[in-house]
Amino acid sequence: MSSMSSALHFKSINYTGQGSGPRLIVTGAVHGNETCGTKGIHRVMAELDSGALSIVAGSVTFVPITNPLAYAKGVRSGDRNLNRNLFPNDNPQDFEDRIANWLCPLLGQHDVLLDLHSFNADSQPFVMVGPRNNDGPLQPFKHEDKERALARRLGVRRFVDGWLHAYGQGVQRRLGNSDQVGLVLRYGVGTTEYMRSTGGYALTLECGQHADPAAPDVAYRAIMNTLAFLGFIDAPQPQAIADADMEALNMVVVHDKLHADDRFIKTWSSFDKVQQGEQIGVRADGTPVTAEFDAYILFPDVNAQANAEWYYLARVASSF
């Protein structure tokens, strides 16, 4: 363990009202260079500490800096991506394993998670929501209505679902019937997936580009709307976004980089539109890579390794 990481500790702050209510946890800086959530949380906490705002019911836990090593370095990860393979570990191998040993039990003590992030490209904020209600093996879930009702009130208009399903299909394709499938599927579990596995529900809010001065305001508004909607504070109920004003997308498929020399034909950003048949990239042997349907590109990774996820395609969802 480095001297820098060994000197760090983990911090959460709880406010509990006198009335009964749900248990909410709000996390920032799961990735250390994504600081808008940290700033939004600190702003809300300052109002609570000054008396300008009061928690009247329920219990709210704030984690302004979830990954203190990555945050101190000003980079995405300390030793690895905290938002993958997030499980308690009896034999922690890296700093993020030690975070997980603290964070996972903390998540399990709550009913709802709001996880605040930011992203690289210049684009509008969006919310990642979980699956429809199901009792399937990948991500059984029973709080679709609650989760999506909260998502509609965070103050943004773009919504994306289907991540773990698309990711899981890619894992199955890569590994076939290998006994490694279950292990690799675990790699797809981050904060929200772990929260749902404990019986709660969870949203990831991508508040804007990392350096966008408006992103902390998006985070602050989302926290305040959540507190009002769930009854933690005495405030008017935030209005749900109307269906006509929403952009709801469903992640359908992930495409892998098959060879180190596979490349995109241009610099793609998440939410770029492509038409069926439009070229996206080219394989190492010269074969063009094209869109198999009218789609939006999500999470294109120019630095992807061979046999790893390269980009996702999403289509407009028929309903939210």
Side-chain angles (χ1 to χ4, degrees), residues 153 224-226 228-229 235-240:
R153 288 164 173 86
M224 294 294 285
N225 285 4
T226 298
F229 178 60
Q237 284 280 298
Q239 290 295 308

Side-chain angles (χ1 to χ4, degrees), residues 86-134:
L86 183 69
F87 293 95
N89 192 323
D90 289 338
N91 183 27
Q93 298 297 305
D94 51 43
F95 186 72
E96 277 75 3
D97 281 352
R98 291 188 283 276
I99 297 174
N101 283 342
W102 162 73
L103 180 63
C104 289
L106 185 63
L107 291 173
Q109 295 165 18
H110 294 81
D111 306 310
V112 190
L113 165 66
L114 177 62
D115 190 18
L116 302 166
H117 288 254
S118 58
F119 47 78
N120 271 318
D122 184 18
S123 186
Q124 64 170 285
F126 65 97
V127 186
M128 297 281 288
V129 300
R132 302 289 186 179
N133 288 339
N134 73 95

Side-chain angles (χ1 to χ4, degrees), residues 3 18 24 54 67 85 89 93 110 118-119 127 129 138 142 144 164 189 196 201 206 232 238 244 246 249 254 283 286:
S3 59
Q18 295 185 44
L24 169 70
S54 297
N67 191 331
N85 197 26
N89 192 323
Q93 298 297 305
H110 294 81
S118 58
F119 47 78
V127 186
V129 300
L138 181 61
K142 61 181 181 182
E144 171 194 334
L164 194 59
V189 172
R196 294 185 194 106
Y201 62 97
E206 299 279 357
F232 292 99
M246 294 177 66
L249 302 178
V254 58
R283 297 293 183 189

Side-chain angles (χ1 to χ4, degrees), residues 43-63:
R43 183 175 164 190
V44 174
M45 285 175 49
E47 294 185 20
L48 288 165
D49 293 340
S50 71
L53 190 67
S54 297
I55 300 298
V56 297
S59 176
V60 185
T61 300
F62 293 105
V63 184

Side-chain angles (χ1 to χ4, degrees), residues 4-5 8 29 31-33 35 65-78 95:
M4 183 178 191
S5 62
L8 296 170
H31 297 130
N33 62 333
T35 61
I65 301 169
T66 309
N67 191 331
L69 178 59
Y71 185 85
K73 291 180 171 182
V75 296
R76 180 176 173 83
S77 304
F95 186 72

